[in-house]
Amino acid sequence: MSAGRLTTQQVAELLGVKVQTVYAYASRGLLSSERVSGGKGSTFDAAEVAALAAGQRRQLPRPGGDAAGTGGAEWSTEPVTVLTELTLIEDGRLYYRGVDVVRFAERYGFEAAIGLLWGVGAEPGLRLTAAPDLVAALRRAGDTLPPGTRLPDRLRVTAAVAASLDPLRFDLRPENVRATGAALIAALVEALPEEPGGAREFVGTGTEGSLAARLWTRLAAGPPPAGAVDCLDRALVLLADHELAVSTVAARVAASARAHPYAVVSAGLGASDGPLHGAASALAHRLLDEVLAAGSAVPVVSEYLRTGRPIPGLGHRLYPQGDPRAAALLAAVGDLPGAGPVLAAVEDLVRAAGGHRSPAAETANVDLALAAFAHLAGMSVEAGEVIFSVARTAGWLAHAMEEYQAPPLRMRARGVYTGPPPEQG
C-alpha cells in the first residue's frame, strides 16, 4: 500500500463508523477510493479522511433543540444508510422479501403482493375494502372538483380528505398502519369516478372482486376483454415497490418525522407527480400514439432527436440488460386480443431509438410496457400514472412501517453552503 493511503477498515475505525458507511461515503463522492492492485478491497486518501473526520466532529444541535424534546443532543453528519428487508434489485432481477417478483406475479395478485410486502404473508392475501361512509364522503369531495380534473390529482385529494376523516391516523403501530393502508388503497380506487359503461362482469381467473377489477371500471369503458383484468393485476404487482425510488425516499422522509400513513402516501404522490417518475408512462403513452399514427417509429424518433427531446419509455440504469418488469408485462399484454399492432409499435420504437447501435442498446422499460397496456385497453393517457400510484402506495406504506421502527428524524441530508459569506459584526 502506497504512502498516505488507508484501508477500508482503517477508515472505518478513524471515523467511528461501519465499513458499509465508508462505502456509502465513497458512493456519494465524499471520499475517493482506489482498488488495490492485484487484490481485493480499496484504499482511501488519508488527507480526505482527515478532512471528513474534522467535519464530523462539528457539534450541531438537532432542529428545535430542547423545545423539540431532544435535550440539546447532537445529530450525526454521517450519511444515512437505509437498511431494508423489503426490496432487492440484483443481477437484473427484482425481489420482494427475497421472492422473485416476476415469478410471483405469474401466480399471485396484488392483494397477495401487499401481504408479502407488509409482512403478513401472501396467502390468502389482504382484503382491500373501505367503509361505505368513507367512500361516500370521498365521492362528495370529488364532486366538488372542477370538471376535467386529472385522475392523479383526484388521488391526492382523496388521500388528504381521508386523513381528515380519521381521528386515529397518528396510531403508528404496524397493525393500525396495515388496516389504515388497506382501507386507503381501496378508497383511492373507489373514490375515482366510474367510466361510462364500465362493466362489473369480469372475465379473468380469480380476479372477480379484486382491486384490479374495481380499478378497471375507473380507467376503461365497457367490459374488459379476456385476460385484461389479470394483466392489470400483474401490472399492480410488478409496480408495488422498487427499492429506494424517489417517491419512496420522500415517503420514508415523511415517516422519519412520524407523519401519519396518509401523509406518507401524500408525500409519495407528490414526489411521483413529475414527468421523470410516476408520470413517465404518460409521456410513453403519447409517444406510442405518435408511432401508431405515423405507421413507423423512424420519423417520430427522428423528430424527438431533432428537437432535443429525450425519448421516454426506454432503458433503466438499474437494469442495463433490460427491465424484467417490462418484459413480464409485455408478455402478458401479448396474450390480449388485438395486441399485435401495439407490440409491433413497441418493437419498432426500440429498434429506431437504438439507431446504428447493437439491438440491446435500447430496451423497453416498465413505463413503455404500462403505456402499451393502457393504449390497448383504450385507457386515457393518465391511466398509467393512476396504476403506478395505486400500486406504489403499497410499497410506500411498507417502507413507512420500517421507518417507524427506526430512530426518528434520521432522514436528514446535509447541505454544502455555496452562497455569499456571512455578514461580519
Side-chain angles (χ1 to χ4, degrees):
M1 184 169 56
S2 61
R5 308 295 299 179
L6 300 173
T7 66
T8 306
Q9 186 61 45
Q10 287 173 327
V11 174
E13 292 173 357
L14 285 170
L15 297 179
V17 299
K18 296 179 180 178
V19 168
Q20 295 93 322
T21 303
V22 176
Y23 292 126
Y25 282 138
S27 67
R28 298 183 187 199
L30 297 175
L31 291 175
S32 56
S33 63
E34 293 181 3
R35 297 291 296 177
V36 175
S37 177
K40 295 182 179 180
S42 302
T43 64
F44 298 83
D45 184 89
E48 285 187 357
V49 175
L52 183 59
Q56 278 187 322
R57 285 192 289 269
R58 291 164 54 197
Q59 296 184 356
L60 299 172
R62 289 182 182 272
D66 291 335
T70 64
E74 298 167 6
W75 56 278
S76 173
T77 61
E78 179 181 338
V80 175
T81 299
V82 178
L83 303 179
T84 177
E85 298 179 353
L86 298 174
T87 306
L88 172 68
I89 301 170
E90 186 174 79
D91 297 330
R93 299 169 73 178
L94 174 65
Y95 303 86
Y96 296 161
R97 295 189 183 273
V99 178
D100 186 288
V101 174
V102 170
R103 295 176 182 173
F104 184 89
E106 293 172 354
R107 297 181 53 199
Y108 296 98
F110 184 49
E111 286 82 353
I114 297 175
L116 177 62
L117 284 169
W118 291 2
V120 295
E123 295 179 348
L126 290 180
R127 292 185 67 244
L128 303 178
T129 59
D133 290 347
L134 172 61
V135 174
L138 294 173
R139 288 178 178 170
R140 287 194 299 271
D143 290 341
T144 66
L145 297 175
T149 298
R150 297 174 61 250
L151 295 182
D153 292 332
R154 289 182 177 273
L155 295 180
R156 281 177 267 279
V157 171
T158 294
V161 174
S164 70
L165 297 173
D166 185 357
L168 300 179
R169 59 188 180 275
F170 286 102
D171 184 346
L172 305 184
R173 291 174 295 175
E175 58 270 26
N176 186 68
V177 176
R178 285 192 287 266
T180 299
L184 177 57
I185 292 173
L188 290 173
V189 173
E190 296 290 346
L192 293 173
E194 288 195 52
E195 280 287 320
R200 289 190 172 274
E201 296 180 1
F202 302 102
V203 180
T205 306
T207 55
E208 297 81 357
S210 67
L211 189 88
R214 285 174 275 162
L215 183 56
W216 177 275
T217 66
R218 270 69 183 178
L219 300 178
V229 174
D230 295 283
C231 192
L232 176 55
D233 203 27
R234 182 171 299 193
L236 292 169
V237 174
L238 295 169
L239 291 166
D241 195 37
H242 202 233
E243 206 229 30
L244 293 180
V246 171
S247 58
T248 304
V249 172
R252 289 196 78 126
V253 169
S256 176
R258 298 304 183 256
H260 54 72
Y262 303 95
V264 166
V265 172
S266 293
L269 289 170
S272 66
D273 194 32
L276 302 181
H277 191 31
S281 65
L283 299 179
H285 193 133
R286 292 189 178 94
L287 173 62
L288 199 55
D289 285 346
E290 294 179 52
V291 172
L292 287 165
S296 170
V298 172
V300 176
V301 170
S302 176
E303 182 63 14
Y304 270 72
L305 295 174
R306 186 185 71 82
T307 55
R309 288 179 290 169
I311 302 172
L314 298 175
H316 197 296
R317 63 186 181 87
L318 296 181
Y319 303 111
Q321 302 304 315
D323 189 338
R325 302 168 300 168
L329 185 53
L330 288 172
V333 170
D335 293 332
L336 301 181
V342 174
L343 292 184
V346 170
E347 294 174 1
D348 190 21
L349 177 59
V350 169
R351 284 194 300 271
H356 301 294
R357 292 172 290 173
S358 66
E362 297 287 358
T363 57
N365 63 28
V366 75
D367 300 316
L368 183 55
L370 188 57
F373 168 72
H375 189 285
L376 183 62
M379 297 175 179
S380 67
V381 169
E382 63 195 28
E385 186 175 353
V386 173
I387 295 169
F388 171 90
S389 297
V390 170
R392 193 56 58 87
T393 296
W396 294 332
L397 291 171
H399 281 270
M401 283 184 266
E402 274 197 338
E403 195 60 39
Y404 288 149
Q405 305 306 312
L409 295 174
R410 73 190 183 111
M411 303 289 285
R412 208 286 191 191
R414 289 301 320 285
V416 177
Y417 180 69
T418 60
E423 296 179 352
Q424 300 297 320

PDB file of all heavy atoms in Angstrom, residues 122-152:
ATOM      1  N   ALA A 122     -48.348 -13.888   1.833  1.00  0.00           N
ATOM      2  CA  ALA A 122     -49.042 -13.718   0.559  1.00  0.00           C
ATOM      3  C   ALA A 122     -50.401 -14.403   0.528  1.00  0.00           C
ATOM      4  O   ALA A 122     -51.266 -14.024  -0.265  1.00  0.00           O
ATOM      5  CB  ALA A 122     -48.175 -14.261  -0.576  1.00  0.00           C
ATOM      6  N   GLU A 123     -50.589 -15.402   1.348  1.00  0.00           N
ATOM      7  CA  GLU A 123     -51.867 -16.139   1.334  1.00  0.00           C
ATOM      8  C   GLU A 123     -52.565 -15.944   2.667  1.00  0.00           C
ATOM      9  O   GLU A 123     -51.931 -15.980   3.723  1.00  0.00           O
ATOM     10  CB  GLU A 123     -51.596 -17.625   1.059  1.00  0.00           C
ATOM     11  CG  GLU A 123     -51.016 -17.866  -0.338  1.00  0.00           C
ATOM     12  CD  GLU A 123     -50.735 -19.334  -0.598  1.00  0.00           C
ATOM     13  OE1 GLU A 123     -50.767 -20.138   0.381  1.00  0.00           O
ATOM     14  OE2 GLU A 123     -50.485 -19.687  -1.750  1.00  0.00           O
ATOM     15  N   PRO A 124     -53.879 -15.747   2.656  1.00  0.00           N
ATOM     16  CA  PRO A 124     -54.760 -15.685   1.473  1.00  0.00           C
ATOM     17  C   PRO A 124     -54.752 -14.334   0.775  1.00  0.00           C
ATOM     18  O   PRO A 124     -55.456 -14.128  -0.205  1.00  0.00           O
ATOM     19  CB  PRO A 124     -56.135 -15.949   2.086  1.00  0.00           C
ATOM     20  CG  PRO A 124     -56.047 -15.347   3.452  1.00  0.00           C
ATOM     21  CD  PRO A 124     -54.639 -15.592   3.915  1.00  0.00           C
ATOM     22  N   GLY A 125     -53.980 -13.370   1.261  1.00  0.00           N
ATOM     23  CA  GLY A 125     -53.980 -12.035   0.667  1.00  0.00           C
ATOM     24  C   GLY A 125     -54.881 -11.101   1.458  1.00  0.00           C
ATOM     25  O   GLY A 125     -55.867 -11.511   2.063  1.00  0.00           O
ATOM     26  N   LEU A 126     -54.509  -9.830   1.481  1.00  0.00           N
ATOM     27  CA  LEU A 126     -55.267  -8.855   2.261  1.00  0.00           C
ATOM     28  C   LEU A 126     -56.579  -8.499   1.573  1.00  0.00           C
ATOM     29  O   LEU A 126     -56.673  -8.478   0.347  1.00  0.00           O
ATOM     30  CB  LEU A 126     -54.439  -7.577   2.447  1.00  0.00           C
ATOM     31  CG  LEU A 126     -53.222  -7.675   3.365  1.00  0.00           C
ATOM     32  CD1 LEU A 126     -52.521  -6.335   3.434  1.00  0.00           C
ATOM     33  CD2 LEU A 126     -53.631  -8.108   4.758  1.00  0.00           C
ATOM     34  N   ARG A 127     -57.584  -8.206   2.383  1.00  0.00           N
ATOM     35  CA  ARG A 127     -58.840  -7.683   1.855  1.00  0.00           C
ATOM     36  C   ARG A 127     -58.735  -6.172   1.791  1.00  0.00           C
ATOM     37  O   ARG A 127     -58.467  -5.506   2.793  1.00  0.00           O
ATOM     38  CB  ARG A 127     -60.030  -8.096   2.738  1.00  0.00           C
ATOM     39  CG  ARG A 127     -60.335  -9.588   2.702  1.00  0.00           C
ATOM     40  CD  ARG A 127     -61.593  -9.922   3.501  1.00  0.00           C
ATOM     41  NE  ARG A 127     -62.791  -9.351   2.880  1.00  0.00           N
ATOM     42  CZ  ARG A 127     -63.565  -8.425   3.442  1.00  0.00           C
ATOM     43  NH1 ARG A 127     -63.239  -7.928   4.637  1.00  0.00           N
ATOM     44  NH2 ARG A 127     -64.636  -7.975   2.821  1.00  0.00           N
ATOM     45  N   LEU A 128     -58.930  -5.627   0.620  1.00  0.00           N
ATOM     46  CA  LEU A 128     -58.832  -4.184   0.421  1.00  0.00           C
ATOM     47  C   LEU A 128     -60.227  -3.608   0.302  1.00  0.00           C
ATOM     48  O   LEU A 128     -60.841  -3.605  -0.769  1.00  0.00           O
ATOM     49  CB  LEU A 128     -58.015  -3.883  -0.843  1.00  0.00           C
ATOM     50  CG  LEU A 128     -56.603  -4.479  -0.880  1.00  0.00           C
ATOM     51  CD1 LEU A 128     -55.925  -4.159  -2.201  1.00  0.00           C
ATOM     52  CD2 LEU A 128     -55.768  -3.978   0.293  1.00  0.00           C
ATOM     53  N   THR A 129     -60.740  -3.142   1.420  1.00  0.00           N
ATOM     54  CA  THR A 129     -62.096  -2.585   1.452  1.00  0.00           C
ATOM     55  C   THR A 129     -62.085  -1.284   2.229  1.00  0.00           C
ATOM     56  O   THR A 129     -61.314  -1.105   3.169  1.00  0.00           O
ATOM     57  CB  THR A 129     -63.090  -3.561   2.104  1.00  0.00           C
ATOM     58  OG1 THR A 129     -62.663  -3.857   3.449  1.00  0.00           O
ATOM     59  CG2 THR A 129     -63.197  -4.855   1.310  1.00  0.00           C
ATOM     60  N   ALA A 130     -62.966  -0.384   1.820  1.00  0.00           N
ATOM     61  CA  ALA A 130     -63.145   0.890   2.517  1.00  0.00           C
ATOM     62  C   ALA A 130     -64.589   0.975   2.990  1.00  0.00           C
ATOM     63  O   ALA A 130     -65.508   0.515   2.307  1.00  0.00           O
ATOM     64  CB  ALA A 130     -62.823   2.052   1.584  1.00  0.00           C
ATOM     65  N   ALA A 131     -64.796   1.560   4.155  1.00  0.00           N
ATOM     66  CA  ALA A 131     -66.142   1.682   4.722  1.00  0.00           C
ATOM     67  C   ALA A 131     -67.034   2.497   3.784  1.00  0.00           C
ATOM     68  O   ALA A 131     -66.588   3.493   3.201  1.00  0.00           O
ATOM     69  CB  ALA A 131     -66.077   2.348   6.091  1.00  0.00           C
ATOM     70  N   PRO A 132     -68.298   2.097   3.623  1.00  0.00           N
ATOM     71  CA  PRO A 132     -69.204   2.834   2.731  1.00  0.00           C
ATOM     72  C   PRO A 132     -69.316   4.309   3.081  1.00  0.00           C
ATOM     73  O   PRO A 132     -69.391   5.160   2.178  1.00  0.00           O
ATOM     74  CB  PRO A 132     -70.541   2.103   2.915  1.00  0.00           C
ATOM     75  CG  PRO A 132     -70.163   0.721   3.341  1.00  0.00           C
ATOM     76  CD  PRO A 132     -68.930   0.883   4.176  1.00  0.00           C
ATOM     77  N   ASP A 133     -69.330   4.644   4.380  1.00  0.00           N
ATOM     78  CA  ASP A 133     -69.428   6.059   4.771  1.00  0.00           C
ATOM     79  C   ASP A 133     -68.212   6.845   4.295  1.00  0.00           C
ATOM     80  O   ASP A 133     -68.326   7.998   3.860  1.00  0.00           O
ATOM     81  CB  ASP A 133     -69.572   6.182   6.292  1.00  0.00           C
ATOM     82  CG  ASP A 133     -70.921   5.695   6.788  1.00  0.00           C
ATOM     83  OD1 ASP A 133     -71.822   5.491   5.945  1.00  0.00           O
ATOM     84  OD2 ASP A 133     -71.067   5.511   8.007  1.00  0.00           O
ATOM     85  N   LEU A 134     -67.037   6.228   4.387  1.00  0.00           N
ATOM     86  CA  LEU A 134     -65.820   6.893   3.927  1.00  0.00           C
ATOM     87  C   LEU A 134     -65.874   7.113   2.418  1.00  0.00           C
ATOM     88  O   LEU A 134     -65.570   8.205   1.923  1.00  0.00           O
ATOM     89  CB  LEU A 134     -64.591   6.058   4.294  1.00  0.00           C
ATOM     90  CG  LEU A 134     -63.252   6.517   3.709  1.00  0.00           C
ATOM     91  CD1 LEU A 134     -62.899   7.922   4.185  1.00  0.00           C
ATOM     92  CD2 LEU A 134     -62.139   5.527   4.049  1.00  0.00           C
ATOM     93  N   VAL A 135     -66.256   6.077   1.681  1.00  0.00           N
ATOM     94  CA  VAL A 135     -66.328   6.198   0.222  1.00  0.00           C
ATOM     95  C   VAL A 135     -67.328   7.275  -0.181  1.00  0.00           C
ATOM     96  O   VAL A 135     -67.063   8.088  -1.080  1.00  0.00           O
ATOM     97  CB  VAL A 135     -66.693   4.843  -0.412  1.00  0.00           C
ATOM     98  CG1 VAL A 135     -66.923   4.997  -1.916  1.00  0.00           C
ATOM     99  CG2 VAL A 135     -65.593   3.815  -0.146  1.00  0.00           C
ATOM    100  N   ALA A 136     -68.469   7.313   0.494  1.00  0.00           N
ATOM    101  CA  ALA A 136     -69.484   8.325   0.176  1.00  0.00           C
ATOM    102  C   ALA A 136     -68.948   9.736   0.414  1.00  0.00           C
ATOM    103  O   ALA A 136     -69.157  10.646  -0.397  1.00  0.00           O
ATOM    104  CB  ALA A 136     -70.732   8.081   1.011  1.00  0.00           C
ATOM    105  N   ALA A 137     -68.226   9.921   1.526  1.00  0.00           N
ATOM    106  CA  ALA A 137     -67.661  11.243   1.826  1.00  0.00           C
ATOM    107  C   ALA A 137     -66.608  11.633   0.795  1.00  0.00           C
ATOM    108  O   ALA A 137     -66.534  12.786   0.360  1.00  0.00           O
ATOM    109  CB  ALA A 137     -67.064  11.248   3.231  1.00  0.00           C
ATOM    110  N   LEU A 138     -65.795  10.672   0.375  1.00  0.00           N
ATOM    111  CA  LEU A 138     -64.763  10.963  -0.609  1.00  0.00           C
ATOM    112  C   LEU A 138     -65.367  11.296  -1.969  1.00  0.00           C
ATOM    113  O   LEU A 138     -64.861  12.172  -2.691  1.00  0.00           O
ATOM    114  CB  LEU A 138     -63.807   9.771  -0.726  1.00  0.00           C
ATOM    115  CG  LEU A 138     -62.972   9.468   0.517  1.00  0.00           C
ATOM    116  CD1 LEU A 138     -62.188   8.180   0.336  1.00  0.00           C
ATOM    117  CD2 LEU A 138     -62.026  10.621   0.832  1.00  0.00           C
ATOM    118  N   ARG A 139     -66.439  10.624  -2.312  1.00  0.00           N
ATOM    119  CA  ARG A 139     -67.086  10.922  -3.590  1.00  0.00           C
ATOM    120  C   ARG A 139     -67.738  12.301  -3.558  1.00  0.00           C
ATOM    121  O   ARG A 139     -67.727  13.015  -4.571  1.00  0.00           O
ATOM    122  CB  ARG A 139     -68.116   9.841  -3.920  1.00  0.00           C
ATOM    123  CG  ARG A 139     -67.475   8.512  -4.325  1.00  0.00           C
ATOM    124  CD  ARG A 139     -68.506   7.437  -4.594  1.00  0.00           C
ATOM    125  NE  ARG A 139     -67.861   6.196  -5.014  1.00  0.00           N
ATOM    126  CZ  ARG A 139     -68.492   5.038  -5.142  1.00  0.00           C
ATOM    127  NH1 ARG A 139     -69.797   4.962  -4.881  1.00  0.00           N
ATOM    128  NH2 ARG A 139     -67.832   3.962  -5.531  1.00  0.00           N
ATOM    129  N   ARG A 140     -68.293  12.668  -2.413  1.00  0.00           N
ATOM    130  CA  ARG A 140     -68.862  14.021  -2.311  1.00  0.00           C
ATOM    131  C   ARG A 140     -67.756  15.072  -2.484  1.00  0.00           C
ATOM    132  O   ARG A 140     -67.948  16.097  -3.141  1.00  0.00           O
ATOM    133  CB  ARG A 140     -69.565  14.205  -0.960  1.00  0.00           C
ATOM    134  CG  ARG A 140     -70.889  13.460  -0.840  1.00  0.00           C
ATOM    135  CD  ARG A 140     -71.686  13.946   0.358  1.00  0.00           C
ATOM    136  NE  ARG A 140     -70.988  13.736   1.619  1.00  0.00           N
ATOM    137  CZ  ARG A 140     -71.092  12.621   2.345  1.00  0.00           C
ATOM    138  NH1 ARG A 140     -71.867  11.623   1.921  1.00  0.00           N
ATOM    139  NH2 ARG A 140     -70.445  12.495   3.483  1.00  0.00           N
ATOM    140  N   ALA A 141     -66.599  14.804  -1.877  1.00  0.00           N
ATOM    141  CA  ALA A 141     -65.480  15.728  -2.045  1.00  0.00           C
ATOM    142  C   ALA A 141     -65.039  15.772  -3.502  1.00  0.00           C
ATOM    143  O   ALA A 141     -64.727  16.843  -4.047  1.00  0.00           O
ATOM    144  CB  ALA A 141     -64.313  15.308  -1.147  1.00  0.00           C
ATOM    145  N   GLY A 142     -65.024  14.621  -4.140  1.00  0.00           N
ATOM    146  CA  GLY A 142     -64.641  14.575  -5.546  1.00  0.00           C
ATOM    147  C   GLY A 142     -65.604  15.317  -6.446  1.00  0.00           C
ATOM    148  O   GLY A 142     -65.200  15.905  -7.455  1.00  0.00           O
ATOM    149  N   ASP A 143     -66.887  15.320  -6.075  1.00  0.00           N
ATOM    150  CA  ASP A 143     -67.890  16.013  -6.886  1.00  0.00           C
ATOM    151  C   ASP A 143     -67.698  17.526  -6.881  1.00  0.00           C
ATOM    152  O   ASP A 143     -68.227  18.229  -7.754  1.00  0.00           O
ATOM    153  CB  ASP A 143     -69.293  15.679  -6.383  1.00  0.00           C
ATOM    154  CG  ASP A 143     -69.689  14.227  -6.675  1.00  0.00           C
ATOM    155  OD1 ASP A 143     -69.051  13.618  -7.557  1.00  0.00           O
ATOM    156  OD2 ASP A 143     -70.609  13.716  -6.019  1.00  0.00           O
ATOM    157  N   THR A 144     -66.965  18.040  -5.888  1.00  0.00           N
ATOM    158  CA  THR A 144     -66.743  19.488  -5.826  1.00  0.00           C
ATOM    159  C   THR A 144     -65.574  19.938  -6.708  1.00  0.00           C
ATOM    160  O   THR A 144     -65.378  21.139  -6.888  1.00  0.00           O
ATOM    161  CB  THR A 144     -66.452  19.925  -4.377  1.00  0.00           C
ATOM    162  OG1 THR A 144     -65.203  19.359  -3.946  1.00  0.00           O
ATOM    163  CG2 THR A 144     -67.566  19.471  -3.432  1.00  0.00           C
ATOM    164  N   LEU A 145     -64.819  19.000  -7.240  1.00  0.00           N
ATOM    165  CA  LEU A 145     -63.682  19.351  -8.081  1.00  0.00           C
ATOM    166  C   LEU A 145     -64.156  19.813  -9.454  1.00  0.00           C
ATOM    167  O   LEU A 145     -65.202  19.376  -9.935  1.00  0.00           O
ATOM    168  CB  LEU A 145     -62.741  18.154  -8.220  1.00  0.00           C
ATOM    169  CG  LEU A 145     -62.093  17.658  -6.924  1.00  0.00           C
ATOM    170  CD1 LEU A 145     -61.285  16.392  -7.190  1.00  0.00           C
ATOM    171  CD2 LEU A 145     -61.198  18.733  -6.321  1.00  0.00           C
ATOM    172  N   PRO A 146     -63.395  20.668 -10.099  1.00  0.00           N
ATOM    173  CA  PRO A 146     -63.796  21.156 -11.426  1.00  0.00           C
ATOM    174  C   PRO A 146     -63.882  20.014 -12.431  1.00  0.00           C
ATOM    175  O   PRO A 146     -63.139  19.024 -12.325  1.00  0.00           O
ATOM    176  CB  PRO A 146     -62.675  22.135 -11.798  1.00  0.00           C
ATOM    177  CG  PRO A 146     -61.999  22.476 -10.524  1.00  0.00           C
ATOM    178  CD  PRO A 146     -62.144  21.282  -9.633  1.00  0.00           C
ATOM    179  N   PRO A 147     -64.772  20.137 -13.410  1.00  0.00           N
ATOM    180  CA  PRO A 147     -64.814  19.124 -14.481  1.00  0.00           C
ATOM    181  C   PRO A 147     -63.461  19.032 -15.181  1.00  0.00           C
ATOM    182  O   PRO A 147     -62.777  20.031 -15.385  1.00  0.00           O
ATOM    183  CB  PRO A 147     -65.888  19.669 -15.433  1.00  0.00           C
ATOM    184  CG  PRO A 147     -66.716  20.594 -14.595  1.00  0.00           C
ATOM    185  CD  PRO A 147     -65.782  21.190 -13.585  1.00  0.00           C
ATOM    186  N   GLY A 148     -63.084  17.839 -15.534  1.00  0.00           N
ATOM    187  CA  GLY A 148     -61.804  17.655 -16.211  1.00  0.00           C
ATOM    188  C   GLY A 148     -60.628  17.528 -15.284  1.00  0.00           C
ATOM    189  O   GLY A 148     -59.483  17.476 -15.758  1.00  0.00           O
ATOM    190  N   THR A 149     -60.867  17.501 -13.962  1.00  0.00           N
ATOM    191  CA  THR A 149     -59.759  17.306 -13.028  1.00  0.00           C
ATOM    192  C   THR A 149     -59.060  15.979 -13.326  1.00  0.00           C
ATOM    193  O   THR A 149     -59.712  14.945 -13.480  1.00  0.00           O
ATOM    194  CB  THR A 149     -60.267  17.305 -11.580  1.00  0.00           C
ATOM    195  OG1 THR A 149     -60.863  18.566 -11.283  1.00  0.00           O
ATOM    196  CG2 THR A 149     -59.129  17.049 -10.600  1.00  0.00           C
ATOM    197  N   ARG A 150     -57.750  16.012 -13.404  1.00  0.00           N
ATOM    198  CA  ARG A 150     -56.981  14.815 -13.718  1.00  0.00           C
ATOM    199  C   ARG A 150     -57.152  13.748 -12.640  1.00  0.00           C
ATOM    200  O   ARG A 150     -57.250  14.061 -11.447  1.00  0.00           O
ATOM    201  CB  ARG A 150     -55.498  15.143 -13.870  1.00  0.00           C
ATOM    202  CG  ARG A 150     -55.183  16.092 -15.003  1.00  0.00           C
ATOM    203  CD  ARG A 150     -53.720  16.496 -14.997  1.00  0.00           C
ATOM    204  NE  ARG A 150     -52.835  15.350 -15.167  1.00  0.00           N
ATOM    205  CZ  ARG A 150     -52.042  14.854 -14.235  1.00  0.00           C
ATOM    206  NH1 ARG A 150     -52.026  15.398 -13.009  1.00  0.00           N
ATOM    207  NH2 ARG A 150     -51.265  13.825 -14.476  1.00  0.00           N
ATOM    208  N   LEU A 151     -57.181  12.498 -13.070  1.00  0.00           N
ATOM    209  CA  LEU A 151     -57.334  11.404 -12.112  1.00  0.00           C
ATOM    210  C   LEU A 151     -56.202  11.371 -11.083  1.00  0.00           C
ATOM    211  O   LEU A 151     -56.456  11.140  -9.893  1.00  0.00           O
ATOM    212  CB  LEU A 151     -57.421  10.068 -12.851  1.00  0.00           C
ATOM    213  CG  LEU A 151     -58.648   9.872 -13.745  1.00  0.00           C
ATOM    214  CD1 LEU A 151     -58.617   8.479 -14.375  1.00  0.00           C
ATOM    215  CD2 LEU A 151     -59.943  10.073 -12.966  1.00  0.00           C
ATOM    216  N   PRO A 152     -54.928  11.598 -11.472  1.00  0.00           N
ATOM    217  CA  PRO A 152     -53.875  11.634 -10.440  1.00  0.00           C
ATOM    218  C   PRO A 152     -54.115  12.721  -9.400  1.00  0.00           C
ATOM    219  O   PRO A 152     -53.786  12.538  -8.214  1.00  0.00           O
ATOM    220  CB  PRO A 152     -52.597  11.895 -11.249  1.00  0.00           C
ATOM    221  CG  PRO A 152     -52.896  11.346 -12.604  1.00  0.00           C
ATOM    222  CD  PRO A 152     -54.340  11.655 -12.833  1.00  0.00           C
TER     223      PRO A 152
END
